[in-house]
Amino acid sequence: MKNPEVIWKARGRRLDVSRRGMVMGILNVTPDSFSDGGRYKDPARALEQARRMIAEGAEIIDVGGESTRPGAAPVGAEEELRRTEPVVAALREEWDGLISIDTTKAAVAEAALQAGADIVNDVTGLRGDEGLAEVCRRHDAGVVVMHMQGEPRTMQADPRYVDVVAEVREFFEERHATLTGLGIKEERLCFDPGIGFGKLLEHNLSLLAELEHLQVEGRPLLVGVSRKSFIGKVLGCEAVEAREWPTVALTAYTRAKGVRVHRVHLVKENVDALRMVEAVEGVMVGK
Ligand code: HH2
């Protein structure tokens, strides 16, 4: 069957992504993110950007207080909390959509969930902070489990795989078994191959080419390609602005390959790409 039912649950919400993909808008409240560092570190500015992305069709806002770009300096929990918690709380006050917290730390996730976040997006796939799985379980949070080889500081030094697609798939299978064993319900899980996280250009391209082989236990896939450096490598462009349209092209491509959640900076153009692919595939019901 071309479109089996795909449901993702996050706290009290049930997201039916069987027929429609969703855009997750990136809100980096950091001074040093690779493409927008410093722009939204003031909470009022961050909220303005969130409103803009929501008006353009973002259904999830992903709030992040620590850059994961290669070589980025780690941030303590207290500072990360100080950056993210007020933004999550203020956004929750005025918006009923989905809020995700992009963190590797249990304390930051706990505060964000208490402030009304729905999803925990962890680039370590819940292998970093031992307490994070329990926080996710207790709050019945949606969980994005991302694959990364190594850790952000050194991950691009010398990533190696025998078969990157098989290894990422095995990682998803292992995480699915481990996390459900820890009491996180399967319906909460969403998997992400972690484009650019401990991967060379050829690894990123192989993963994108074979996304259909990464679907595990019917769980939805998320991808984040927005403005990433592998686009610059393919096209020979350094400027991040020159990577927006290639990002849109990849959103269409990855949606056609079955991805359901697309983590991007520029919202409207990527939402339009999803709706066009869904129209062509004849899977769009209603809007
Ligand atoms: N990429 C980044 C950060 N978080 N989370 C998921 N699930 N998937 C991704 O691909 C992903 C992510 C890196 O991008 P960005 O947030 O734009 O930059 P920075 O980490 O420098 O803040």
Side-chain angles (χ1 to χ4, degrees):
M1 191 166 64
K2 191 149 192 238
N3 277 295
E5 192 173 67
V6 186
I7 307 295
W8 188 21
K9 291 192 181 166
R11 304 197 81 178
R13 297 157 195 264
R14 180 182 187 275
L15 315 169
D16 185 344
V17 287
S18 313
R19 295 185 166 77
R20 286 176 89 248
M22 296 194 294
V23 158
M24 169 188 266
I26 301 170
L27 190 61
N28 285 322
V29 289
T30 57
D32 60 345
S33 286
F34 79 94
S35 76
D36 54 3
R39 215 176 286 175
Y40 312 118
K41 70 180 173 31
D42 167 42
R45 284 263 190 110
L47 273 181
E48 260 172 44
Q49 173 62 3
R51 288 184 198 121
R52 202 171 306 133
M53 292 195 288
I54 292 162
E56 291 187 1
E59 291 178 69
I60 309 174
I61 297 294
D62 188 37
V63 181
E66 177 177 29
S67 173
T68 50
R69 79 187 148 75
V75 175
E78 225 168 85
E79 173 60 16
E80 197 181 326
L81 234 158
R82 194 192 60 74
R83 292 176 185 174
T84 52
E85 202 261 355
V87 175
V88 171
L91 187 56
R92 181 75 303 151
E93 281 265 301
E94 63 178 71
W95 186 52
D96 189 38
L98 290 152
I99 302 175
S100 114
I101 178 76
D102 185 350
T103 189
T104 61
K105 299 184 185 76
V108 176
E110 176 70 45
L113 290 162
Q114 280 187 22
D118 306 282
I119 295 165
V120 174
N121 171 24
D122 177 12
V123 297
T124 74
L126 269 56
R127 290 171 305 154
D129 187 329
E130 275 187 1
L132 188 50
E134 175 52 20
V135 170
C136 293
R137 191 199 61 78
R138 194 161 19 85
H139 288 275
D140 257 343
V143 185
V144 179
V145 176
M146 200 196 80
H147 176 271
M148 165 166 59
Q149 188 179 91
E151 41 117 6
R153 212 167 34 82
T154 52
M155 66 190 176
Q156 290 308 102
D158 186 21
R160 284 177 199 213
Y161 301 86
V162 175
D163 179 341
V164 67
V165 176
E167 286 170 51
V168 171
R169 189 187 162 88
E170 277 161 27
F171 171 79
F172 290 168
E173 287 167 347
E174 175 276 315
R175 288 284 84 197
H176 182 280
T178 303
L179 296 174
T180 51
L182 288 173
I184 296 177
K185 296 190 194 88
E186 155 176 270
E187 67 214 28
R188 310 274 152 189
L189 300 175
C190 174
F191 292 103
D192 177 351
I195 298 299
F197 285 84
K199 284 148 193 125
L200 300 174
L201 173 60
E202 70 217 54
H203 302 136
N204 292 320
L205 297 179
S206 296
L207 287 166
L208 292 172
E210 298 197 49
L211 282 164
E212 50 277 68
H213 296 126
L214 295 177
Q215 263 153 23
V216 167
E217 304 284 345
R219 301 315 306 144
L221 276 179
L222 179 153
V223 291
V225 295
S226 192
R227 300 180 180 166
K228 285 191 177 165
S229 67
F230 80 103
I231 297 175
K233 288 202 178 99
V234 171
L235 299 176
C237 59
E238 271 305 304
V240 284
E241 307 79 64
R243 300 177 191 166
E244 295 290 18
W245 288 109
T247 296
V248 176
L250 288 171
T251 293
Y253 177 81
T254 55
R255 177 68 190 90
K257 283 192 160 278
V259 169
R260 299 311 210 285
V261 188
H262 304 261
R263 185 180 180 276
V264 299
H265 299 85
L266 189 70
V267 171
K268 181 179 185 304
E269 292 76 356
N270 285 291
V271 171
D272 286 350
L274 295 185
R275 300 295 89 90
M276 283 313 299
V277 171
E278 289 158 0
V280 171
E281 289 197 334
V283 297
M284 195 168 80
V285 179
K287 187 168 169 250

